Amino acid sequence: MAELIVHEEDYRGELDLQLWKRIARHALPFKGSLVGLMVNGAVVATVDVLQPIVTAGLIDEATKGEAADRTRLILLGGAYLALIVLICISINLFIRQAGRVATGVAFDLRMKGFRRLQELSFSYFDVRPVGWLVARLTSDCSKVSSLMPWFLLDLVWGSCLITGIIAAMFWLDWRLALVVLCIVPPLVLATIFFKKRLLESSRMVRKTNSQITAGFNECITGVRTTKSLVREEANLEEFQELTNSMFLHSVRNALQSAVYLPIVISLGSIGLGLALWRGGIDVSAATGLTFGTLVAFMQYAGLLHMPIQELATRFTDLQAAQAAAERIQSLLDTEADIRDSDAVTARVAAAKPAPGDAIDGEPARIRDIEFRNVSFAYKENEPVITDLNLRIPAGTTVALVGATGGGKSTIVNLLSRFYEPTGGEILMNGVEYRERPLDWLHGSLGIVLQTPYLFSGTILENIRYGRLDATDAEVYAAAEIVNAHAFISRLPDGYSSEVGESGGLLSTGQRQLIALARAVLADPQIFIMDEATSSVDTETERLIQDGIDAALADRTAFVIAHRLSTIRSADVILVIDRGRIIERGNHESLMAKDGHYAQLYRKQFVSEREHAVLEGQPAQKEQ
Amino acid sequence: MLTKLHAIWQLMEGQRLRYGAAVAALVLASCFLYLVPLVPQIVIDGVLLDSTATPSRVVTHGVALLGGAEFLKHNLWWPALVIAVITVCAGVFTYLRGRLSALAAEEIARGLRERFYDHVQHLPCRYFDTVETGDLIQRCTSDVETIRTFLSTQIVEIGRAVLMLLIPIPLMLLIDLRMTLASLVLVPPVVIFSFAYFFRIRRVFKDKDEAEGVMTATIQQNLTGIRVVKAFNRASFETNRFEGHNRVHRELDYRLYALFADYWSVSDLLCFLQRAVVVGVGIVLVAMGELPIGAFFFFLSAVSMFIWPVRMMGRILSELGKSLVALERIEEILHEERESCAATDLRPELEGEITFEHVTFHHGAGQAVLEDVSFSVTPGETLAIIGPSGSGKSTIVNLLLRFYDYESGSIRLDGHELTTLARDHVRASMAVVMQEPFLYSRSLGDNITIGRADAHNEEMVEAATVASIHESIERFEDGYQTLVGERGVTLSGGQRQRVALARALLTRPAVLVLDDALRAVDTETEAAIIEALQSRHGQQTTLIIAHRISTLMHADRILVLEDGRIAQQGTHDELRSTDGLYRRLLEIQASGVDELVGATGGTDHG
């Protein structure tokens, strides 16, 4: 995780063309708009080049005074206006086309990224904070997609404009053109020199800025600790180091701009001076150079820096967005490590399942589950589960007990195929579960997590998440089974009550009941539950306990159990320690054995009773 | 409006001189910039052209200034050089303007950030109870950034536009009145259009931001709940839901592009038309022999120089509202009152004697959280407090640390009334470990020594050992150098509590407070910690708030708190023999043993 984040701000100085080629492919569906962009870019550049020429024609005609040809003047004037209208239409069109490409590519990238994230396995999410992933689909996608059309447009516009200006100048007067073009090499050099530095300094500004945000975050969330440690002064001093470096980087960035822009503009003016000098000599020597042409040259001299500057900006944008592009592409390139094998996919495609069959044509019903010599490690040489053997017939409730970190969660994650064993195999109906489709297995499970997660929306929507086509009546029935109906009915909006972000408007106990109802509604073949340890008042505790009992009745179930009543009523209790089953049996047999289980049981017994005494009355919350 | 201008003026304090100098540089730079097209005008009209039109006084003076027509005619490099020199001067002043305004704006931003940080740290705890963290952080970061942009860019751009527009006017008037009018005729429509357009489409920006917020929230929720999504096999349902939000966002985003397309093309049209008016009127005048070409060139250049900044100004003016809102939001916080200081602010050496006498405390207008609480602790004594949640245990700690101030009764430290002591002094003499301790995002070692920077390495390790966290830390690859938080390891609740305990022990406080600080620590480890603390008994006054009998049975005295009142107090032995909450808890413990004994007829695990 640390690595991932540290590299976030990194960028390589070199442009990675391979990467950008792959990124550019995402814009291919918008061919029409892309072509339109190029056409309009070329049109705008052409108009930019033609305007001084038309002005020159007007001037030359007008300077003839009495001899001026009126129709020619009107014609040229008309052309001037036509060019203006044309360029404005082009501008309008290319912004719309750029919008179509930018918003379309962003939409597509987000869809692709989102779909990919739905496929990836737990191990991917274990090491990446949610906020980090969200930023990939939001800001990174915007950055990359909005850059593409403008890059293309400016590439076409800029190169057309430079060639156009040069061509026009040579056409008008090649010697004068050579003189004025002297300013191009220094323009290019200055631009490259400063853009590189600007890129670097603005990167530092962004980086420091995110450190400052982190600083404020710490300042606010840790305010009590800071007060109790009397660290206000020391914190401020450390924060001042950040603001100082922010000051330095921002000023450096601003100074680079403050030097660069005058240099570019001065070079333009110097071009103008050169035109005036050489052109003036020609005009006064009457070599045929007209005033109109002289004015046109002076205008071109002022225009030259624009395409160069713009092109350079786009290339630095590309460089600045490279890290974002890399991150998006790497997300899209990540293959889910747990997915159906090709053989399974082929079987699913060929199967014509009869009623009662799964999508691969094999029976959908799970009759028994077997762990055979199963071992698992997240990292090599750090086994979490070692040589686990277990056989559970359908209808059995299995309670997993033992200390935190012993491997209980890993066992249920393996069973759910959120992870796959690194050794041994898991069999369902005697068939290795990797030879059955993932969708079938996941469709057969109902899972209640320790910290139940609710999506913002109504209670009804949240319960219905268990089975999307459930009727309202079925939702109520599920709530009834787990004792949730009563409290829901007491809420002002009943089932239509909003649960808030992450269910924040409900109490912990209420969230647990709704998560239970959700799983019960799914009516799964295998019920998997990680019992919550968080404390709720006794009344809710009793409701939850009864709800769990109802949910588990006559079902194959794996429960990471903390409540005595759940543990006692299990058919099989497994005591898990350091990745192994150290005791197994039912409550009576294990108590009689007076081993680890008996010890655990007694501790839990005391703590539940203590809890009942201390939290007995519905507590008035201490703030 | 006037008060807001005043607020901006206040912000500029200390940097006003710099801003003044920046304005001066801006004026000079603009003047030089307009001199650039003036030189070709002088050369063309005064030297190269034999026109019927009488050149303006500007040209005749200019020619004289540059050395006379004859000289110029044969030395055209000279005006070219003059242009070069002028542009360099313009460049230098432009640079100075940029430098001065950047320094001023960044200096103000730095001051503002530091003032904010300092201020937030000193706001009372009551303030943080009511405020939303996200909103506060937003004010500290993006609102300050808005102000910075306003000071460094917007003000400067508006100033530039105004000056660029005003400076050439006298010059233009001197050259030709008709052309001057022609050059300015479309300026008001350009400004008004830009301003009005952006003012009117504010709503769309807001809608788009909201759609983006919804889309982001959808992703956020999906990923936070990804385990639920997978558990119920809901990938396609989620994807469809996301697609809807994604689509809405795309449409609004595109709508903004379309609106921008209209804005840029129409405002460009206006700007180009302004130039066309100059070209049209100019050409007619040139053809009539009433305007020399050089003057025509000057007007054409001048219009191109000011029309774009002027368009920009309209847009910025429409965005000023945002900056003013940000300013308001910032001021709001800066005007919040800090924690009060007592008039006396005594800082005596404290030994750790605590006395509560008839203390009553309410949260707002509600029911009393503490009512008539009296007890005392002698230096070195260990006092344990137990009670149901909501009984006021943590409030005692909060009052003791002066996070809140009590309303009636008296709390004394070593005989000094708490409110007469300096807050920081009271806090420095205590060390508190909270149930959900906060660790700074720095190394574990730094986190432990943060309360006493001069601690030796051995002392740090000793504190960590007493807190039973030393071994866990050693197991990390980087040991004490391991970073905590997003950039480093994620610690479990119990580990965080133990690090915080080590931190507290290291400060060697007069009073050590454990506010349910071992709740997430498993029983064995807790026993080891309690034992280690026992061996330090007498070194400091200790307050332990706990839920488990085992944590507090060895305390010198035990306080049972119920509904904000002291229900019982005494030693373990005294309370054991009196009917009450404490005895009930003890009986449960015993019954646990009985249960086991009953089931197995065997061993006692104490």
Side-chain angles (χ1 to χ4, degrees), chain A residues 2 5 51 58-59 62-63 65 73 80 84 87-88 91-92 95-96 99-100 102-104 107 110-111 114 118 120 122 126 133-134 137-138 213 216-222 224-228 230-232 235-236 238-240 243-244 246-247 250 254-255 259 262 266 269 272-273 277 280-281 291 295 299 418 439 442-443 447 453 455-456 465-468 518 591 594 598 601-603 605-606 609-610 613-615 619-620 622-623, chain B residues 44 48-49 76-77 80 83 87 91 95 99 102 106-107 110 113-114 117-118 121 123 129 133 136-137 140-141 215-216 221-225 227-234 237-239 242-243 246-247 249-250 253-254 257-258 261-262 264-265 268-269 272 275 283 286-287 293 296-297 300 339 363 388-390 392 394-395 403-404 424 427-428 432 438 440-442 450 486-487 503 524 547 549 581 588 591-592 595-596 600 603 605:
Chain A
I5 290 170
Q51 253 183 355
L58 279 167
I59 292 174
T63 42
L73 269 182
Y80 191 88
I84 290 178
I87 200 175
C88 291
I91 288 171
N92 195 302
I95 297 179
R96 282 167 193 270
R100 220 158 275 142
T103 57
F107 178 85
R110 289 193 177 115
M111 283 322 295
F114 193 87
Q118 306 307 303
L120 292 173
F122 278 15
D126 286 345
L133 288 170
V134 171
L137 289 193
T138 51
T213 306
F216 270 118
N217 196 353
E218 192 164 275
C219 162
I220 293 164
T221 49
R224 278 166 192 259
T225 303
T226 300
K227 282 180 189 295
S228 70
V230 197
R231 271 203 50 94
E232 289 96 336
N235 278 354
L236 182 61
E238 284 170 12
F239 184 71
Q240 275 166 340
T243 56
N244 279 339
M246 186 67 180
F247 176 82
S250 306
L255 288 191
V259 177
S266 299
S269 299
L272 186 147
W277 169 40
I281 291 174
F291 281 109
V295 171
Q299 283 189 314
F418 291 142
D439 270 356
H442 285 169
I447 303 178
Y453 186 82
F455 297 94
S456 53
Y465 203 84
R467 186 152 56 85
L468 297 175
R518 176 168 69 186
M591 282 311 273
D594 188 22
Y601 180 82
R602 193 173 52 92
K603 217 188 284 171
F605 184 83
V606 170
R609 298 275 306 267
E610 271 184 349
V613 169
L614 285 177
E615 315 297 331
Q620 316 125 4
E622 208 174 316
Q623 281 200 318
Chain B
I44 293 175
L48 301 177
L49 196 69
L76 278 171
W77 57 270
I83 289 180
T87 50
Y95 167 76
R99 183 189 172 90
E106 295 303 332
E107 198 73 73
R110 166 161 75 180
R113 287 193 189 103
E114 285 169 8
Y117 192 95
D118 187 51
Q121 286 196 119
L123 288 173
D129 290 341
T133 314
L136 195 54
I137 290 177
C140 297
T141 54
M215 186 184 72
T216 308
Q221 285 212 11
N222 170 268
L223 296 179
T224 316
R227 282 161 178 80
V228 177
V229 175
K230 286 189 180 291
F232 288 99
N233 223 10
R234 287 285 172 263
F237 173 76
E238 289 287 314
T239 311
F242 172 66
E243 185 164 5
N246 195 6
R247 197 173 297 281
H249 173 255
R250 174 193 183 163
D253 203 9
Y254 179 70
Y257 271 94
D262 291 344
W264 287 114
S265 50
D268 267 347
L269 187 67
F272 282 128
R275 242 175 34 183
I283 289 297
V286 169
I293 301 160
F296 172 71
F297 172 76
L300 190 58
E339 281 184 314
H363 263 304
S389 58
S394 295
T395 307
F403 281 167
Y404 301 95
D424 58 344
R427 290 171 190 163
V432 57
F438 175 85
Y440 295 89
S441 53
R442 43 175 79 208
I450 204 160
E486 283 224 325
R487 278 161 194 272
R503 171 172 77 191
E524 282 78 21
H547 274 84
I549 291 282
L581 184 80
I588 289 167
S591 73
E595 177 95 355
L596 188 66
T600 64
T603 41
H605 289 268

Side-chain angles (χ1 to χ4, degrees), chain A residues 31-306:
Chain A
K31 273 194 201 105
S33 298
L34 292 176
V35 172
L37 269 178
M38 295 200 275
V39 171
N40 283 310
V43 169
V44 172
T46 314
V47 174
D48 285 338
V49 174
L50 287 182
Q51 253 183 355
I53 293 183
V54 175
T55 317
L58 279 167
I59 292 174
D60 287 342
E61 204 54 45
T63 42
K64 289 178 188 158
E66 294 300 311
D69 181 346
R70 280 188 177 240
T71 39
R72 200 174 140 76
L73 269 182
I74 290 170
L75 227 66
L76 282 168
Y80 191 88
L81 285 178
L83 286 178
I84 290 178
V85 173
L86 180 63
I87 200 175
C88 291
I89 292 175
S90 270
I91 288 171
N92 195 302
L93 286 178
F94 79 60
I95 297 179
R96 282 167 193 270
Q97 284 150 350
R100 220 158 275 142
V101 176
T103 57
V105 171
F107 178 85
D108 287 354
L109 283 177
R110 289 193 177 115
M111 283 322 295
K112 287 177 199 166
F114 193 87
R115 280 206 190 91
R116 181 46 51 95
L117 284 171
Q118 306 307 303
E119 291 164 17
L120 292 173
S121 30
F122 278 15
S123 53
Y124 186 82
F125 296 97
D126 286 345
V127 290
R128 289 167 182 83
V130 168
W132 189 87
L133 288 170
V134 171
R136 307 292 70 85
L137 289 193
T138 51
S139 56
D140 278 358
C141 281
S142 312
K143 215 187 258 175
V144 169
S145 62
S146 60
L147 178 130
M148 283 203 247
W150 300 118
F151 183 79
L152 181 69
L153 178 79
D154 278 343
L155 201 64
V156 174
W157 172 78
S159 32
C160 284
L161 188 55
I162 290 190
T163 11
I165 291 177
I166 294 176
M169 289 203 291
F170 272 92
W171 176 66
L172 288 169
D173 187 320
W174 67 270
R175 280 178 312 175
L176 197 51
L178 282 179
V179 175
V180 173
L181 286 176
C182 282
I183 63 165
V184 171
L187 258 181
V188 172
L189 287 178
T191 303
I192 293 175
F193 181 85
F194 280 104
K195 284 290 168 179
K196 264 193 179 161
R197 276 155 188 78
L198 274 166
L199 180 67
E200 174 65 20
S201 61
S202 58
R203 191 180 71 90
M204 290 307 292
V205 169
R206 275 202 309 277
K207 200 173 155 186
T208 320
N209 197 34
S210 63
Q211 286 172 338
I212 285 187
T213 306
F216 270 118
N217 196 353
E218 192 164 275
C219 162
I220 293 164
T221 49
V223 71
R224 278 166 192 259
T225 303
T226 300
K227 282 180 189 295
S228 70
L229 288 168
V230 197
R231 271 203 50 94
E232 289 96 336
E233 293 307 311
N235 278 354
L236 182 61
E237 264 169 46
E238 284 170 12
F239 184 71
Q240 275 166 340
E241 282 171 28
L242 280 182
T243 56
N244 279 339
S245 96
M246 186 67 180
F247 176 82
L248 288 176
H249 292 305
S250 306
V251 167
R252 177 177 301 157
N253 186 260
L255 288 191
Q256 282 163 351
S257 301
V259 177
Y260 170 67
L261 282 177
I263 286 184
V264 170
I265 291 169
S266 299
L267 282 169
S269 299
I270 286 169
L272 186 147
L274 289 171
L276 181 65
W277 169 40
R278 294 306 316 172
I281 291 174
D282 288 351
V283 169
S284 59
T287 54
L289 186 75
T290 62
F291 281 109
T293 313
L294 179 57
V295 171
F297 264 95
M298 292 195 287
Q299 283 189 314
Y300 284 140
L303 267 181
L304 261 176
H305 72 89
M306 277 168 44

Side-chain angles (χ1 to χ4, degrees), chain B residues 1-13 16 150 324 327 331 335:
Chain B
M1 194 63 207
L2 216 60
T3 53
K4 281 177 181 165
L5 283 178
H6 182 72
I8 294 169
W9 183 244
Q10 287 292 311
L11 267 186
M12 289 181 170
E13 187 167 359
R16 289 176 198 151
F150 170 72
L324 294 180
L327 191 64
E331 298 259 300
H335 287 150

Side-chain angles (χ1 to χ4, degrees), chain B residues 319-338:
Chain B
E319 285 171 359
L320 274 192
K322 252 190 263 173
S323 309
L324 294 180
V325 170
L327 191 64
E328 226 167 76
R329 283 161 55 86
I330 284 176
E331 298 259 300
E332 223 173 82
I333 293 188
L334 291 178
H335 287 150
E336 280 291 333
E337 228 166 295
R338 291 177 168 224

